[in-house]
Each structure stands twice: as C-alpha cells, then as structure tokens.
Amino acid sequence: MVTKNINIKKQVEYYMNLPYTMTVRYLNEQGGYFVAGYIELPDLTMTGDTPEEAVKELLVEKPEWFESCLKQGIPIPLAIEPQKYSGKIIVRMPPSLHESLIRIAEHEGVSLNQYMVSSLAKSAGRDEVNKIKKLHKEKQTA
C-alpha cells in the first residue's frame, strides 16, 4: 500500500511538471465570474471573482485532481507540446488584391512584406483591444 502511494505521488509530480495550456475567461452569468482551466484537461476548471482567484484555486486543485484520476484509473491527457513557428506563410489571393497591396506598399515606401505584417499587427491589436473593451463593458453592466 505504501509503495502504491509513493508511485501515485511520483505520477502526480510527473503530470504537475507537464506544460499544460492554462486559460482564463470571463463568464457574464450569475453576476459574472472568471473560469480558469487547461485546454488539455477540460474537466479541471475552477472559478473566482477575479482572474487571480480562479488561477489560485486551479493551482490548489490540480494535484488533487491528478491524484483522484490516477486512483480511479481515469486516463490523464498529456500536455500539448508548444508549436514552433517559422514566421513564414504562403498566402493565396486574387491578382487584383496583390496589385492593390503592392501599390499601397510602394506609396508608403515599404516592402510588400513589411506593409502586410504591419497591417496584420494593427488588425490583431485592434481585435484584442475590442475584446478587452467588450469584457469590461459586460462586467460593468452586470
């Protein structure tokens, strides 16, 4: 029995050291709250009034959750390995769009690549700002 407990503790330690992908999201239900969890472990989530509180609760619960799964023989998914990105993509577009982008880049005095990267970065930043504004607005109206 002691050997089994030592074995479980080693297995829990193994899973605790895997790079699981944590997420925190706001739910505008019942007055609003935050949910922290892991993409790879959909059954392990915790809530809190703040993101920090939800994460704290998740970190406290995590080893107990692993231990419970191991004792019950429930398979525990492994962490998704982080992908390495080259920064290179091939984009197919209509020739007319290609021509328009080249003309704009020339007008701006930059390369087509630099113009496209700048435009994508602006768009991505704008999307993130809009998401944050929406979350704050939802929280204030709740």
Side-chain angles (χ1 to χ4, degrees):
M1 186 74 164
V2 173
T3 307
K4 185 177 181 181
N5 286 339
I6 291 171
N7 188 28
I8 287 177
K9 286 184 188 265
K10 284 184 179 182
Q11 290 178 40
V12 167
E13 187 177 322
Y14 166 77
Y15 286 108
M16 288 293 294
N17 289 317
L18 293 178
Y20 288 101
T21 310
M22 184 185 292
T23 63
V24 179
R25 67 183 192 276
Y26 179 74
L27 291 180
N28 194 17
E29 299 170 5
Q30 301 170 349
Y33 57 94
F34 290 87
V35 179
Y38 296 97
I39 291 173
E40 302 91 342
L41 308 171
D43 297 329
L44 175 57
T45 60
M46 297 301 290
T47 62
D49 292 331
T50 65
E52 295 82 9
E53 187 179 306
V55 169
K56 181 180 176 185
E57 294 295 322
L58 181 67
L59 294 174
V60 168
E61 182 66 22
K62 188 177 174 184
E64 295 171 20
W65 188 85
F66 284 141
E67 186 174 337
S68 176
C69 286
L70 290 166
K71 285 180 178 177
Q72 295 177 46
I74 298 170
I76 301 172
L78 296 176
I80 298 169
E81 288 297 319
Q83 295 182 6
K84 295 178 182 166
Y85 299 98
S86 68
K88 297 178 187 178
I89 60 171
I90 295 174
V91 179
R92 302 218 185 274
M93 65 183 82
S96 58
L97 176 58
H98 192 177
E99 179 184 8
S100 294
L101 292 172
I102 287 175
R103 288 183 190 278
I104 295 169
E106 286 174 349
H107 179 73
E108 297 286 325
V110 296
S111 69
L112 175 60
N113 185 71
Q114 187 175 354
Y115 175 73
M116 289 176 65
V117 169
S118 175
S119 295
L120 290 168
K122 285 179 190 175
S123 179
R126 191 170 36 253
D127 288 349
E128 287 302 311
V129 168
N130 288 337
K131 284 180 191 175
I132 292 168
K133 284 181 180 178
K134 183 179 177 185
L135 282 176
H136 286 295
K137 188 175 182 179
E138 287 174 355
K139 192 170 183 179
Q140 288 176 347
T141 59

